[in-house]
Amino acid sequence: MALRFSANLSWLFPELPALPARLEAAAAAGFGAVEAAWPAGCPAEELRAAAERARVRIELLNTPPGDPEAGELGLAAVPGRQAAFRQGLEAAVHYARAVGCRRIHVMAGRVPLGTDRAAVAGEMETTFIENLKYTADLLSQEDMIGLLEPINNRITDPRYYLNTPHQAAAILEKVGRPNLKLQLDLFHCQIMDGNLSRNLETYFPLIGHIQIAQVPGRHEPDSPGELNFPYIFELLESLGYTGYVGCEYAPKGDTLEGLGWLRSYWESRGLQHGGTSKAAK
């Protein structure tokens, strides 16, 4: 089965200022779904109305980052911030419910400034597990899925707590809730571990969402870099991946002009614009 792609509105169409306009542009480009980080400043009713007009589903949102001025990027694993995490999670659930989104990326957060990663690792894991159990219970009432995304600490975010699929899988096992899954961004996975074929095969039963970008530039999949995306797409198809593949990359230029890779993928699978069967036209 051909893959389905989701436009990350926090990255694509930066030439447009507002999320509803970006969503409409994504729909016009053929995307059937969109995703975004925490949609600060965009009322839920505006985003939902845009999605309904464009007939596009909202696939994924993040929990709020916390206090960016204090250097926070998520709170789920940060000791002493449990109350703020729960408040943010409830806001994310409320927003997701309002826009019809069923997946929430539960951001782990950063190692606190002035502390040593190794010294606080145990406390952060304990905090993370406790918060994830709370998250799973809350999301189960809404028929929603919580996602854990490892973010590389070699290039992108040196202080981020959750860094590898192996670490995420171990935490998911300790939490033991079926509505928590792995969000595997192949950009981060390649930087931290490589070995993408084996990692995809090993962690496939845990995967609830996939994201892509070329390495190291974090641009379009067909831009120069380390990853062979035609091979990766074939591998995901052979594994039977049926979720969306999130396009979380920085366009090198105009977003639409940079979507040649997607149009080529559709053409290679005998699909028309938007990834639908030509026979259904």
Side-chain angles (χ1 to χ4, degrees), residues 202-222:
T202 299
Y203 298 113
F204 189 76
L206 298 177
I207 292 174
H209 192 64
I210 286 174
Q211 293 174 323
I212 57 171
Q214 187 56 274
V215 178
R218 208 169 189 179
H219 298 306
E220 286 86 347
D222 63 348

Side-chain angles (χ1 to χ4, degrees), residues 172-191:
L172 285 170
E173 184 176 3
K174 291 177 181 178
V175 177
R177 301 297 175 85
N179 63 335
L180 297 180
K181 297 287 186 180
L182 173 64
Q183 179 173 318
L184 194 64
D185 188 324
L186 300 187
F187 171 81
H188 296 300
C189 188
Q190 169 69 5
I191 290 170

Side-chain angles (χ1 to χ4, degrees), residues 11-189:
W11 290 74
L12 302 188
F13 305 100
E15 56 271 17
L16 299 173
L19 287 184
R22 294 183 183 189
L23 183 151
E24 291 165 1
F31 286 100
V34 299
E35 57 193 64
W38 179 243
C42 178
E45 57 271 18
E46 290 186 17
L47 194 60
R48 182 179 187 114
E52 290 176 347
R53 284 195 304 270
R55 298 183 180 180
V56 166
R57 68 185 293 165
I58 299 172
E59 181 67 10
L60 170 70
L61 297 169
N62 290 0
T63 52
D67 183 358
E69 292 185 5
E72 292 180 331
L73 188 67
L75 299 172
V78 181
R81 295 287 277 150
Q82 288 92 328
F85 166 74
R86 293 185 179 194
Q87 184 178 5
L89 175 65
E90 289 167 5
V93 168
H94 180 79
Y95 195 103
R97 185 195 309 125
V99 300
C101 175
R102 291 191 56 248
R103 282 174 167 76
I104 296 177
H105 167 207
V106 185
M107 300 197 73
R110 291 169 169 154
V111 175
L113 281 169
T115 62
D116 176 72
R117 177 184 290 269
V120 298
E123 185 182 7
M124 292 192 74
E125 180 176 288
T126 298
T127 301
F128 201 19
I129 290 171
E130 290 176 355
N131 280 333
L132 288 173
K133 289 179 178 178
Y134 177 87
T135 297
D137 289 342
L138 181 61
L139 296 186
S140 67
Q141 300 171 26
E142 304 284 345
D143 194 27
M144 292 180 182
I145 300 292
L147 297 166
L148 279 63
E149 180 188 9
I151 294 176
N152 82 81
N153 64 348
R154 289 179 171 167
I155 297 173
T156 302
D157 199 324
R159 291 195 295 114
Y160 204 76
Y161 167 71
L162 188 67
N163 306 128
T164 69
H166 178 77
Q167 181 189 8
I171 289 171
L172 285 170
E173 184 176 3
K174 291 177 181 178
V175 177
R177 301 297 175 85
N179 63 335
L180 297 180
K181 297 287 186 180
L182 173 64
Q183 179 173 318
L184 194 64
D185 188 324
L186 300 187
F187 171 81
H188 296 300
C189 188

